[in-house]
Amino acid sequence: MRKLIKLVIAVIIGTLLFTVNAASQTASAALPDSNSSVQEDKATVQEEKQEQPKKDPSKLRTKANLKGDSESKKRSKITNDPYTGWIYIPEKHFTLQNGDMMIELDGRTGGFCIFAIPESGGEIPLISTHESLTASYFVIQIDGRNYILTKRNGIKTEARRTPYGGQMVYQVGNKAQLIVDFSFMPSIATSTRVDMLRVTLYTINLAKTTKTIAVKGIFDTYLGEADGTHFSTKTLGKVNREKQYTAFYDEQWVNSENANAAIRFILSSQRLGTPETVTLASKNKITSELWKPTIDEAKGYNSASSYNNSGIGINWKPATVDPYQVEAYTFYISCSTGGIEPAGENFIKQLDEGSVALLPDHPTKLLSSSEAPKPIELSDADIQTWYWENMPSVVDPENTYWNDSSMSFSNVPTAAKQAGSKDFEQKPISSTGNSSGNNVKYGDSDEIDMEYIQLLLDHIAEIENSDQVNDAELEFLNAEIDSVMEKLRGF
Protein backbone atom coordinates (compact mmCIF):
# COMPACT_ATOMS: atom_id res chain seq x y z
CA MET A 1 0.00 0.00 0.00
CA ARG A 2 2.84 2.42 0.93
CA LYS A 3 4.60 1.69 -2.41
CA LEU A 4 1.38 2.48 -4.26
CA ILE A 5 1.02 5.82 -2.39
CA LYS A 6 4.65 6.75 -3.17
CA LEU A 7 4.10 5.88 -6.84
CA VAL A 8 0.98 8.09 -7.01
CA ILE A 9 2.84 11.01 -5.34
CA ALA A 10 5.76 10.60 -7.80
CA VAL A 11 3.38 10.68 -10.79
CA ILE A 12 1.68 13.85 -9.46
CA ILE A 13 5.01 15.62 -8.89
CA GLY A 14 6.24 14.60 -12.31
CA THR A 15 3.08 15.94 -13.95
CA LEU A 16 3.39 19.27 -12.10
CA LEU A 17 7.06 19.66 -13.11
CA PHE A 18 6.23 18.91 -16.74
CA THR A 19 3.41 21.52 -16.69
CA VAL A 20 5.64 24.22 -15.10
CA ASN A 21 8.49 23.59 -17.60
CA ALA A 22 6.11 23.70 -20.56
CA ALA A 23 4.58 26.95 -19.33
CA SER A 24 8.00 28.57 -18.85
CA GLN A 25 9.13 27.51 -22.33
CA THR A 26 5.94 28.97 -23.85
CA ALA A 27 6.49 32.24 -22.00
CA SER A 28 10.13 32.41 -23.13
CA ALA A 29 9.10 31.89 -26.73
CA ALA A 30 6.49 34.65 -26.54
CA LEU A 31 8.93 37.29 -25.17
CA PRO A 32 11.26 39.14 -27.60
CA ASP A 33 14.87 38.13 -27.05
CA SER A 34 16.30 41.66 -26.78
CA ASN A 35 18.44 43.07 -23.97
CA SER A 36 17.71 46.65 -25.08
CA SER A 37 13.94 46.27 -24.62
CA VAL A 38 14.46 44.84 -21.11
CA GLN A 39 16.64 47.81 -20.13
CA GLU A 40 14.04 50.23 -21.48
CA ASP A 41 11.33 48.55 -19.40
CA LYS A 42 13.47 48.82 -16.23
CA ALA A 43 14.10 52.53 -16.85
CA THR A 44 10.37 53.18 -17.30
CA VAL A 45 9.52 51.39 -14.06
CA GLN A 46 12.13 53.40 -12.14
CA GLU A 47 10.71 56.68 -13.48
CA GLU A 48 7.18 55.68 -12.42
CA LYS A 49 8.41 54.79 -8.91
CA GLN A 50 10.07 58.19 -8.53
CA GLU A 51 6.92 60.04 -9.60
CA GLN A 52 4.58 58.17 -7.17
CA PRO A 53 4.33 59.66 -3.65
CA LYS A 54 5.53 57.50 -0.80
CA LYS A 55 2.78 55.51 0.96
CA ASP A 56 2.08 55.82 4.66
CA PRO A 57 3.82 52.72 6.14
CA SER A 58 1.11 52.41 8.80
CA LYS A 59 -1.48 51.81 6.06
CA LEU A 60 0.44 49.16 4.15
CA ARG A 61 -1.11 45.68 4.15
CA THR A 62 1.88 44.04 5.78
CA LYS A 63 1.56 41.06 8.10
CA ALA A 64 2.46 43.23 11.09
CA ASN A 65 -0.15 45.86 10.28
CA LEU A 66 -2.85 43.33 9.45
CA LYS A 67 -2.23 41.44 12.68
CA GLY A 68 -2.79 44.48 14.91
CA ASP A 69 -2.04 44.65 18.63
CA SER A 70 -3.72 42.17 20.93
CA GLU A 71 -5.57 44.82 22.94
CA SER A 72 -7.22 46.34 19.87
CA LYS A 73 -8.20 42.89 18.61
CA LYS A 74 -9.74 42.09 21.97
CA ARG A 75 -11.64 45.37 22.07
CA SER A 76 -13.03 44.68 18.62
CA LYS A 77 -14.65 41.53 20.02
CA ILE A 78 -16.31 43.27 22.97
CA THR A 79 -19.96 42.28 23.15
CA ASN A 80 -22.82 43.41 25.34
CA ASP A 81 -25.10 40.79 26.88
CA PRO A 82 -28.68 41.95 26.30
CA TYR A 83 -30.09 40.20 29.37
CA THR A 84 -27.62 41.08 32.15
CA GLY A 85 -25.83 44.19 30.86
CA TRP A 86 -22.40 42.56 31.18
CA ILE A 87 -19.73 43.32 28.60
CA TYR A 88 -17.47 40.46 27.59
CA ILE A 89 -15.09 38.96 25.06
CA PRO A 90 -15.88 35.39 23.89
CA GLU A 91 -13.00 32.93 24.31
CA LYS A 92 -12.65 29.21 23.59
CA HIS A 93 -10.50 28.26 26.58
CA PHE A 94 -8.55 30.47 28.95
CA THR A 95 -7.13 30.87 32.43
CA LEU A 96 -7.14 34.09 34.45
CA GLN A 97 -5.10 34.77 37.56
CA ASN A 98 -5.69 37.60 39.99
CA GLY A 99 -3.95 37.71 43.36
CA ASP A 100 -4.34 34.44 45.25
CA MET A 101 -6.85 32.88 42.85
CA MET A 102 -7.04 31.56 39.31
CA ILE A 103 -9.93 30.31 37.21
CA GLU A 104 -9.89 28.12 34.13
CA LEU A 105 -12.91 28.18 31.83
CA ASP A 106 -13.37 25.92 28.82
CA GLY A 107 -16.08 26.95 26.40
CA ARG A 108 -15.47 23.82 24.33
CA THR A 109 -16.69 21.46 27.07
CA GLY A 110 -18.49 23.73 29.51
CA GLY A 111 -15.92 22.82 32.17
CA PHE A 112 -14.44 25.09 34.82
CA CYS A 113 -11.98 24.90 37.70
CA ILE A 114 -10.77 27.13 40.53
CA PHE A 115 -7.17 27.26 41.80
CA ALA A 116 -5.33 28.79 44.75
CA ILE A 117 -2.00 30.52 44.08
CA PRO A 118 0.47 30.01 46.97
CA GLU A 119 3.37 32.37 47.60
CA SER A 120 5.73 29.74 46.22
CA GLY A 121 5.15 26.73 44.02
CA GLY A 122 2.51 26.01 41.43
CA GLU A 123 -1.23 26.56 41.50
CA ILE A 124 -3.34 24.21 43.66
CA PRO A 125 -6.68 22.94 42.30
CA LEU A 126 -9.45 23.59 44.83
CA ILE A 127 -11.97 21.29 43.12
CA SER A 128 -11.37 18.20 41.00
CA THR A 129 -9.78 18.68 37.58
CA HIS A 130 -11.00 15.31 36.33
CA GLU A 131 -13.23 14.70 33.33
CA SER A 132 -11.88 17.66 31.32
CA LEU A 133 -12.77 20.03 34.17
CA THR A 134 -16.44 18.91 34.12
CA ALA A 135 -16.37 16.94 37.39
CA SER A 136 -18.04 20.03 38.91
CA TYR A 137 -21.01 21.39 37.02
CA PHE A 138 -24.43 23.02 37.19
CA VAL A 139 -27.89 21.58 36.56
CA ILE A 140 -30.89 23.65 35.53
CA GLN A 141 -34.47 22.51 36.08
CA ILE A 142 -37.16 23.87 33.77
CA ASP A 143 -40.74 23.02 34.66
CA GLY A 144 -39.58 19.91 36.51
CA ARG A 145 -37.17 18.59 33.86
CA ASN A 146 -33.44 18.47 34.65
CA TYR A 147 -30.65 19.47 32.22
CA ILE A 148 -27.00 18.75 33.09
CA LEU A 149 -25.05 21.71 31.73
CA THR A 150 -22.09 20.26 29.86
CA LYS A 151 -21.34 20.06 26.17
CA ARG A 152 -21.53 16.28 26.09
CA ASN A 153 -25.16 16.52 27.22
CA GLY A 154 -26.10 18.51 24.13
CA ILE A 155 -25.89 21.94 25.79
CA LYS A 156 -24.47 24.92 23.90
CA THR A 157 -21.54 26.29 25.93
CA GLU A 158 -19.43 29.44 25.76
CA ALA A 159 -16.63 30.98 27.83
CA ARG A 160 -16.43 34.76 28.24
CA ARG A 161 -13.74 37.08 29.59
CA THR A 162 -15.07 40.09 31.49
CA PRO A 163 -13.38 43.12 33.09
CA TYR A 164 -13.69 41.39 36.48
CA GLY A 165 -12.98 37.75 35.62
CA GLY A 166 -14.83 35.29 33.43
CA GLN A 167 -18.17 33.65 32.71
CA MET A 168 -19.45 30.29 31.55
CA VAL A 169 -22.65 30.39 29.51
CA TYR A 170 -24.95 27.41 29.01
CA GLN A 171 -27.95 27.46 26.68
CA VAL A 172 -30.69 24.83 26.68
CA GLY A 173 -32.10 25.19 23.17
CA ASN A 174 -34.72 27.95 23.08
CA LYS A 175 -35.81 27.19 26.65
CA ALA A 176 -33.34 28.88 28.99
CA GLN A 177 -29.83 30.16 29.51
CA LEU A 178 -27.60 30.08 32.57
CA ILE A 179 -24.72 32.55 32.90
CA VAL A 180 -22.23 31.71 35.67
CA ASP A 181 -20.14 34.77 36.48
CA PHE A 182 -16.83 34.46 38.35
CA SER A 183 -15.69 37.93 39.50
CA PHE A 184 -12.38 38.35 41.33
CA MET A 185 -12.47 40.50 44.46
CA PRO A 186 -10.63 41.15 47.75
CA SER A 187 -12.25 39.96 50.96
CA ILE A 188 -11.22 43.27 52.56
CA ALA A 189 -12.66 46.17 50.58
CA THR A 190 -9.71 48.49 51.33
CA SER A 191 -7.17 45.89 50.14
CA THR A 192 -6.01 45.14 46.61
CA ARG A 193 -5.15 41.52 47.43
CA VAL A 194 -7.65 39.28 45.66
CA ASP A 195 -8.55 36.14 47.62
CA MET A 196 -12.22 35.68 46.67
CA LEU A 197 -14.63 35.08 43.85
CA ARG A 198 -18.15 36.40 43.70
CA VAL A 199 -20.15 33.77 41.82
CA THR A 200 -23.47 34.90 40.36
CA LEU A 201 -25.87 32.58 38.56
CA TYR A 202 -28.15 34.35 36.09
CA THR A 203 -31.07 32.22 34.93
CA ILE A 204 -32.80 33.60 31.82
CA ASN A 205 -36.11 32.36 30.44
CA LEU A 206 -35.81 32.21 26.64
CA ALA A 207 -39.27 30.73 26.14
CA LYS A 208 -42.35 32.73 25.22
CA THR A 209 -44.27 31.53 28.26
CA THR A 210 -43.62 31.83 31.99
CA LYS A 211 -41.43 29.03 33.35
CA THR A 212 -40.46 27.70 36.78
CA ILE A 213 -36.66 27.53 36.78
CA ALA A 214 -34.29 26.24 39.46
CA VAL A 215 -30.51 25.79 39.59
CA LYS A 216 -28.29 23.25 41.32
CA GLY A 217 -24.50 23.31 41.67
CA ILE A 218 -22.39 20.14 41.97
CA PHE A 219 -18.85 20.65 43.30
CA ASP A 220 -16.43 17.72 43.34
CA THR A 221 -14.23 18.59 46.33
CA TYR A 222 -11.25 16.53 47.44
CA LEU A 223 -8.95 18.59 49.69
CA GLY A 224 -10.33 17.10 52.90
CA GLU A 225 -10.65 13.53 51.70
CA ALA A 226 -7.13 12.44 52.65
CA ASP A 227 -7.03 14.42 55.90
CA GLY A 228 -9.95 12.77 57.68
CA THR A 229 -12.17 15.89 57.85
CA HIS A 230 -14.06 16.14 54.59
CA PHE A 231 -15.97 19.31 55.42
CA SER A 232 -16.58 21.86 58.14
CA THR A 233 -19.09 24.66 58.64
CA LYS A 234 -19.24 27.65 60.97
CA THR A 235 -21.16 25.58 63.51
CA LEU A 236 -19.64 22.14 62.96
CA GLY A 237 -15.88 21.59 62.98
CA LYS A 238 -15.98 18.15 61.35
CA VAL A 239 -18.50 16.75 58.93
CA ASN A 240 -17.45 13.17 58.26
CA ARG A 241 -20.88 11.73 57.56
CA GLU A 242 -23.44 12.54 54.94
CA LYS A 243 -25.50 15.57 55.88
CA GLN A 244 -28.29 17.56 54.27
CA TYR A 245 -29.37 21.03 55.37
CA THR A 246 -32.78 22.43 54.50
CA ALA A 247 -31.97 25.57 56.48
CA PHE A 248 -28.40 26.88 56.26
CA TYR A 249 -28.59 30.23 58.06
CA ASP A 250 -26.40 29.38 61.07
CA GLU A 251 -23.83 27.30 59.15
CA GLN A 252 -23.13 30.13 56.65
CA TRP A 253 -20.28 28.35 54.86
CA VAL A 254 -18.80 24.97 53.88
CA ASN A 255 -15.04 24.34 54.00
CA SER A 256 -12.98 21.75 52.14
CA GLU A 257 -9.33 21.91 53.15
CA ASN A 258 -6.02 20.20 53.81
CA ALA A 259 -2.61 21.38 55.01
CA ASN A 260 -1.83 23.02 51.67
CA ALA A 261 -5.01 24.86 50.71
CA ALA A 262 -8.62 25.57 51.62
CA ILE A 263 -11.75 26.53 49.69
CA ARG A 264 -14.76 28.05 51.47
CA PHE A 265 -18.23 28.29 49.91
CA ILE A 266 -19.97 31.25 51.61
CA LEU A 267 -23.65 30.51 51.04
CA SER A 268 -25.73 32.31 53.63
CA SER A 269 -26.11 35.75 55.23
CA GLN A 270 -28.77 38.41 55.71
CA ARG A 271 -27.91 40.00 52.37
CA LEU A 272 -27.31 36.72 50.54
CA GLY A 273 -30.29 34.82 51.87
CA THR A 274 -29.76 31.06 51.88
CA PRO A 275 -29.98 28.13 49.44
CA GLU A 276 -32.98 25.86 49.62
CA THR A 277 -30.86 22.75 50.27
CA VAL A 278 -27.15 22.08 50.91
CA THR A 279 -26.04 18.44 50.68
CA LEU A 280 -22.69 17.02 51.79
CA ALA A 281 -22.50 13.44 50.57
CA SER A 282 -20.62 10.87 48.53
CA LYS A 283 -20.09 11.99 44.93
CA ASN A 284 -22.36 9.32 43.45
CA LYS A 285 -25.28 10.56 45.56
CA ILE A 286 -25.03 14.26 44.78
CA THR A 287 -24.69 13.42 41.06
CA SER A 288 -27.77 11.20 41.08
CA GLU A 289 -30.77 12.02 38.89
CA LEU A 290 -32.75 13.10 41.95
CA TRP A 291 -33.06 16.87 42.14
CA LYS A 292 -32.58 16.68 45.92
CA PRO A 293 -30.35 13.74 46.86
CA THR A 294 -31.49 11.16 49.38
CA ILE A 295 -28.80 10.65 52.01
CA ASP A 296 -28.10 8.58 55.10
CA GLU A 297 -26.68 10.75 57.89
CA ALA A 298 -25.19 7.68 59.57
CA LYS A 299 -23.15 6.86 56.47
CA GLY A 300 -19.68 8.02 55.49
CA TYR A 301 -18.58 9.14 52.02
CA ASN A 302 -17.91 5.67 50.62
CA SER A 303 -19.84 3.93 47.89
CA ALA A 304 -19.66 0.59 46.12
CA SER A 305 -17.17 2.04 43.63
CA SER A 306 -15.18 4.61 45.61
CA TYR A 307 -13.60 5.31 48.96
CA ASN A 308 -13.81 8.76 50.56
CA ASN A 309 -15.06 10.49 47.40
CA SER A 310 -17.28 13.37 48.56
CA GLY A 311 -18.84 16.46 47.10
CA ILE A 312 -21.18 19.39 47.73
CA GLY A 313 -24.62 19.80 46.19
CA ILE A 314 -26.31 23.22 46.42
CA ASN A 315 -29.95 23.68 45.40
CA TRP A 316 -31.21 27.23 45.05
CA LYS A 317 -34.87 28.07 45.42
CA PRO A 318 -36.91 27.78 42.21
CA ALA A 319 -38.24 30.99 40.69
CA THR A 320 -41.13 31.79 38.39
CA VAL A 321 -39.53 33.65 35.48
CA ASP A 322 -41.44 35.55 32.82
CA PRO A 323 -40.33 35.42 29.15
CA TYR A 324 -36.91 37.04 28.62
CA GLN A 325 -36.62 37.87 32.31
CA VAL A 326 -33.64 37.17 34.57
CA GLU A 327 -33.36 35.68 38.06
CA ALA A 328 -30.03 35.78 39.91
CA TYR A 329 -28.42 33.88 42.79
CA THR A 330 -25.09 34.85 44.38
CA PHE A 331 -22.59 33.14 46.63
CA TYR A 332 -18.91 33.72 47.41
CA ILE A 333 -15.83 31.51 47.31
CA SER A 334 -12.76 32.36 49.36
CA CYS A 335 -9.46 30.50 49.40
CA SER A 336 -6.24 30.30 51.36
CA THR A 337 -2.99 28.35 51.38
CA GLY A 338 -0.50 27.10 53.97
CA GLY A 339 -3.00 26.38 56.75
CA ILE A 340 -4.37 29.95 56.95
CA GLU A 341 -8.12 30.24 57.47
CA PRO A 342 -9.95 31.64 54.43
CA ALA A 343 -12.08 34.76 54.68
CA GLY A 344 -15.43 34.15 56.34
CA GLU A 345 -16.99 35.68 59.45
CA ASN A 346 -15.63 39.23 59.12
CA PHE A 347 -16.38 39.23 55.41
CA ILE A 348 -20.01 38.21 56.04
CA LYS A 349 -20.35 41.00 58.63
CA GLN A 350 -19.05 43.56 56.13
CA LEU A 351 -21.20 42.04 53.40
CA ASP A 352 -24.38 42.51 55.44
CA GLU A 353 -23.29 46.08 56.21
CA GLY A 354 -22.84 46.73 52.48
CA SER A 355 -19.14 47.60 52.72
CA VAL A 356 -17.46 44.92 50.56
CA ALA A 357 -15.98 45.43 47.09
CA LEU A 358 -18.69 43.50 45.23
CA LEU A 359 -22.13 43.21 46.76
CA PRO A 360 -24.50 40.38 45.77
CA ASP A 361 -25.46 40.93 42.17
CA HIS A 362 -29.01 41.34 41.00
CA PRO A 363 -30.22 40.99 37.44
CA THR A 364 -31.31 43.75 35.14
CA LYS A 365 -35.07 43.38 34.89
CA LEU A 366 -36.27 43.75 31.31
CA LEU A 367 -39.81 44.54 30.23
CA SER A 368 -41.79 41.47 29.23
CA SER A 369 -41.73 41.02 25.47
CA SER A 370 -42.67 38.44 22.87
CA GLU A 371 -39.22 38.83 21.29
CA ALA A 372 -35.76 38.38 22.72
CA PRO A 373 -33.80 41.62 23.22
CA LYS A 374 -31.05 42.41 20.72
CA PRO A 375 -27.45 43.36 21.64
CA ILE A 376 -26.84 47.09 21.41
CA GLU A 377 -23.86 49.01 20.04
CA LEU A 378 -21.65 50.44 22.78
CA SER A 379 -19.46 53.52 22.64
CA ASP A 380 -15.99 53.68 24.20
CA ALA A 381 -17.49 55.48 27.20
CA ASP A 382 -19.98 52.64 27.70
CA ILE A 383 -17.33 49.93 27.90
CA GLN A 384 -15.07 51.72 30.38
CA THR A 385 -15.36 50.80 34.02
CA TRP A 386 -13.44 50.97 37.27
CA TYR A 387 -12.56 48.71 40.19
CA TRP A 388 -12.76 50.44 43.55
CA GLU A 389 -13.65 49.78 47.15
CA ASN A 390 -17.30 49.81 48.20
CA MET A 391 -18.22 49.43 44.54
CA PRO A 392 -21.89 48.82 43.74
CA SER A 393 -22.95 45.64 42.01
CA VAL A 394 -21.46 45.19 38.55
CA VAL A 395 -24.89 44.99 36.94
CA ASP A 396 -27.05 48.01 37.65
CA PRO A 397 -30.36 48.79 35.90
CA GLU A 398 -29.29 52.42 35.58
CA ASN A 399 -25.70 51.64 34.45
CA THR A 400 -24.73 54.74 36.42
CA TYR A 401 -21.29 53.50 37.38
CA TRP A 402 -20.01 52.86 33.85
CA ASN A 403 -17.77 55.92 33.74
CA ASP A 404 -15.05 57.57 31.69
CA SER A 405 -12.16 56.06 33.63
CA SER A 406 -9.68 54.00 31.68
CA MET A 407 -10.51 50.31 31.31
CA SER A 408 -8.09 47.66 30.19
CA PHE A 409 -8.52 43.91 30.00
CA SER A 410 -4.90 43.41 31.01
CA ASN A 411 -4.29 45.80 33.91
CA VAL A 412 -4.47 44.49 37.47
CA PRO A 413 -6.56 45.00 39.56
CA THR A 414 -8.94 46.32 36.88
CA ALA A 415 -9.00 42.75 35.59
CA ALA A 416 -7.28 39.45 36.01
CA LYS A 417 -4.14 38.79 34.01
CA GLN A 418 -4.04 36.12 31.35
CA ALA A 419 -2.33 33.17 32.99
CA GLY A 420 -1.64 31.18 29.84
CA SER A 421 -3.79 28.20 29.01
CA LYS A 422 -2.58 25.02 30.65
CA ASP A 423 -3.91 21.50 30.62
CA PHE A 424 -4.74 20.69 34.23
CA GLU A 425 -6.63 17.53 33.38
CA GLN A 426 -5.31 14.60 35.39
CA LYS A 427 -4.60 11.89 32.84
CA PRO A 428 -5.47 8.40 34.08
CA ILE A 429 -4.29 5.12 32.63
CA SER A 430 -7.39 3.85 30.94
CA SER A 431 -8.68 2.48 27.69
CA THR A 432 -11.07 5.41 27.35
CA GLY A 433 -8.74 8.21 28.40
CA ASN A 434 -11.45 9.68 30.60
CA SER A 435 -11.11 9.83 34.37
CA SER A 436 -13.94 9.70 36.85
CA GLY A 437 -12.31 11.17 39.94
CA ASN A 438 -10.94 9.01 42.73
CA ASN A 439 -13.03 6.03 41.67
CA VAL A 440 -12.47 2.54 40.42
CA LYS A 441 -15.30 1.64 38.09
CA TYR A 442 -16.69 -1.88 38.23
CA GLY A 443 -19.00 -3.90 36.02
CA ASP A 444 -18.45 -3.22 32.31
CA SER A 445 -15.92 -0.40 32.75
CA ASP A 446 -12.27 -0.99 31.84
CA GLU A 447 -11.05 2.11 33.64
CA ILE A 448 -8.37 1.96 36.32
CA ASP A 449 -7.52 5.16 38.20
CA MET A 450 -3.88 4.90 39.29
CA GLU A 451 -4.22 7.99 41.49
CA TYR A 452 -6.93 6.21 43.43
CA ILE A 453 -4.69 3.15 43.89
CA GLN A 454 -1.93 5.36 45.29
CA LEU A 455 -4.46 7.04 47.58
CA LEU A 456 -5.47 3.64 48.96
CA LEU A 457 -1.85 2.60 49.55
CA ASP A 458 -1.00 5.90 51.26
CA HIS A 459 -4.07 5.67 53.48
CA ILE A 460 -3.25 2.08 54.48
CA ALA A 461 0.28 3.16 55.45
CA GLU A 462 -1.11 6.10 57.43
CA ILE A 463 -3.49 3.86 59.40
CA GLU A 464 -0.84 1.20 60.08
CA ASN A 465 1.57 3.83 61.44
CA SER A 466 -1.01 5.47 63.69
CA ASP A 467 -1.53 4.69 67.37
CA GLN A 468 -5.16 3.74 66.83
CA VAL A 469 -5.46 1.09 64.15
CA ASN A 470 -8.94 0.68 62.70
CA ASP A 471 -9.08 -3.01 61.77
CA ALA A 472 -12.43 -2.66 59.96
CA GLU A 473 -11.15 0.17 57.82
CA LEU A 474 -7.93 -1.72 57.06
CA GLU A 475 -9.98 -4.73 56.01
CA PHE A 476 -12.06 -2.56 53.70
CA LEU A 477 -8.99 -0.89 52.17
CA ASN A 478 -7.22 -4.20 51.59
CA ALA A 479 -10.37 -5.56 49.94
CA GLU A 480 -10.35 -2.51 47.66
CA ILE A 481 -6.71 -3.20 46.74
CA ASP A 482 -7.52 -6.86 46.04
CA SER A 483 -10.38 -5.80 43.76
CA VAL A 484 -8.09 -3.43 41.88
CA MET A 485 -5.37 -6.06 41.51
CA GLU A 486 -7.92 -8.54 40.23
CA LYS A 487 -9.07 -6.01 37.68
CA LEU A 488 -5.48 -5.27 36.63
CA ARG A 489 -4.90 -8.96 35.93
CA GLY A 490 -7.68 -8.74 33.37
CA PHE A 491 -5.90 -6.05 31.34
Side-chain angles (χ1 to χ4, degrees):
M1 184 64 181
R2 290 183 179 178
K3 290 182 179 180
L4 179 59
I5 292 172
K6 289 181 179 179
L7 180 60
V8 171
I9 293 172
V11 170
I12 293 171
I13 293 173
T15 303
L16 289 173
L17 289 174
F18 176 78
T19 304
V20 171
N21 289 334
S24 63
Q25 289 173 6
T26 303
S28 299
L31 292 172
D33 188 11
S34 171
N35 291 332
S36 61
S37 62
V38 172
Q39 290 174 355
E40 289 174 3
D41 291 341
K42 286 183 177 180
T44 304
V45 171
Q46 288 176 354
E47 289 176 3
E48 290 177 354
K49 284 183 177 180
Q50 290 175 356
E51 292 175 0
Q52 292 178 356
K54 291 184 178 180
K55 293 183 178 180
D56 183 353
S58 66
K59 296 180 179 179
L60 296 177
R61 292 180 60 80
T62 62
K63 286 184 178 180
N65 289 331
L66 289 174
K67 185 177 180 181
D69 65 90
S70 58
E71 188 67 20
S72 64
K73 289 180 71 176
K74 289 171 183 174
R75 289 179 69 84
S76 69
K77 295 180 181 178
I78 289 178
T79 306
N80 169 257
D81 184 81
Y83 302 102
T84 63
W86 274 95
I87 60 170
Y88 66 90
I89 293 173
E91 302 261 9
K92 288 184 179 179
H93 174 218
F94 64 96
T95 58
L96 288 176
Q97 178 185 331
N98 199 342
D100 298 345
M101 300 196 78
M102 185 171 79
I103 57 175
E104 181 176 8
L105 306 181
D106 194 341
R108 301 165 302 184
T109 64
F112 63 90
C113 198
I114 304 168
F115 303 84
I117 307 297
E119 291 186 4
S120 61
E123 55 278 329
I124 303 171
L126 299 175
I127 54 179
S128 174
T129 60
H130 282 86
E131 300 177 45
S132 300
L133 307 182
T134 61
S136 299
Y137 56 89
F138 291 91
V139 186
I140 192 168
Q141 187 181 79
I142 307 170
D143 287 344
R145 182 176 176 182
N146 301 344
Y147 299 87
I148 297 175
L149 301 181
T150 60
K151 190 82 166 185
R152 63 172 176 259
N153 289 294
I155 304 300
K156 183 180 178 181
T157 60
E158 180 186 50
R160 298 174 175 179
R161 193 158 57 89
T162 73
Y164 296 93
Q167 297 178 344
M168 282 303 311
V169 183
Y170 307 93
Q171 184 158 331
V172 185
N174 59 1
K175 296 179 175 66
Q177 188 180 77
L178 177 71
I179 300 175
V180 183
D181 176 76
F182 300 92
S183 286
F184 292 103
M185 61 176 288
S187 60
I188 302 173
T190 54
S191 172
T192 59
R193 183 166 187 173
V194 171
D195 59 348
M196 294 192 77
L197 289 170
R198 186 188 68 176
V199 185
T200 304
L201 314 176
Y202 301 95
T203 59
I204 303 153
N205 180 10
L206 299 181
K208 294 184 179 181
T209 58
T210 300
K211 298 289 183 183
T212 300
I213 301 177
V215 182
K216 174 170 66 173
I218 303 293
F219 298 95
D220 187 2
T221 56
Y222 74 95
L223 292 176
E225 291 174 2
D227 278 19
T229 301
H230 282 245
F231 302 110
S232 62
T233 69
K234 180 183 176 181
T235 59
L236 196 57
K238 289 186 177 182
V239 184
N240 290 332
R241 293 286 183 270
E242 294 185 348
K243 197 164 185 63
Q244 189 171 75
Y245 298 90
T246 53
F248 201 72
Y249 289 104
D250 295 334
E251 287 72 21
Q252 294 193 320
W253 66 69
V254 178
N255 269 20
S256 170
E257 62 185 303
N258 60 20
N260 298 320
I263 181 172
R264 174 171 287 179
F265 296 81
I266 299 174
L267 303 174
S268 178
S269 81
Q270 291 179 5
R271 191 175 286 265
L272 276 178
T274 185
E276 185 176 49
T277 307
V278 177
T279 306
L280 311 177
S282 58
K283 176 75 183 297
N284 68 317
K285 284 196 177 178
I286 64 168
T287 58
S288 70
E289 294 182 359
L290 295 174
W291 183 247
K292 293 181 182 178
T294 301
I295 60 116
D296 179 359
E297 294 200 352
K299 189 179 182 304
Y301 299 113
N302 307 326
S303 68
S305 61
S306 65
Y307 174 74
N308 266 9
N309 190 16
S310 55
I312 303 173
I314 306 168
N315 293 66
W316 283 273
K317 298 172 183 177
T320 301
V321 188
D322 288 333
Y324 309 117
Q325 295 293 292
V326 185
E327 189 68 35
Y329 308 90
T330 296
F331 65 101
Y332 292 84
I333 292 176
S334 61
C335 82
S336 64
T337 57
I340 299 172
E341 184 178 0
E345 193 164 357
N346 288 336
F347 171 79
I348 291 175
K349 181 181 178 182
Q350 294 170 7
L351 175 67
D352 289 340
E353 292 172 353
S355 59
V356 298
L358 292 177
L359 294 173
D361 207 356
H362 300 285
T364 302
K365 288 292 184 182
L366 303 173
L367 294 175
S368 294
S369 169
S370 59
E371 295 182 2
K374 303 292 191 299
I376 58 174
E377 293 292 330
L378 297 176
S379 65
D380 285 344
D382 291 327
I383 62 175
Q384 291 168 346
T385 187
W386 194 250
Y387 191 107
W388 70 86
E389 66 179 270
N390 300 331
M391 196 186 79
S393 61
V394 172
V395 176
D396 185 289
E398 304 295 330
N399 274 344
T400 54
Y401 58 89
W402 297 108
N403 56 52
D404 295 331
S405 303
S406 175
M407 184 205 69
S408 168
F409 277 94
S410 59
N411 293 339
V412 176
T414 302
K417 63 182 179 179
Q418 192 79 18
S421 295
K422 299 178 182 179
D423 185 4
F424 292 101
E425 184 180 359
Q426 300 167 9
K427 304 290 186 182
I429 298 175
S430 79
S431 59
T432 61
N434 184 24
S435 175
S436 298
N438 296 331
N439 296 342
V440 174
K441 296 281 189 175
Y442 295 94
D444 297 330
S445 173
D446 293 328
E447 188 171 32
I448 293 294
D449 192 325
M450 301 308 291
E451 184 181 353
Y452 174 64
I453 296 172
Q454 188 60 53
L455 178 67
L456 290 175
L457 293 173
D458 293 344
H459 198 57
I460 289 173
E462 180 184 349
I463 292 173
E464 288 178 338
N465 293 328
S466 67
D467 295 333
Q468 297 178 340
V469 178
N470 188 327
D471 293 332
E473 189 173 13
L474 270 179
E475 183 179 352
F476 173 82
L477 290 170
N478 283 309
E480 285 277 84
I481 291 290
D482 291 341
S483 298
V484 171
M485 295 305 296
E486 187 66 32
K487 195 168 183 65
L488 281 173
R489 293 188 191 101
F491 269 73

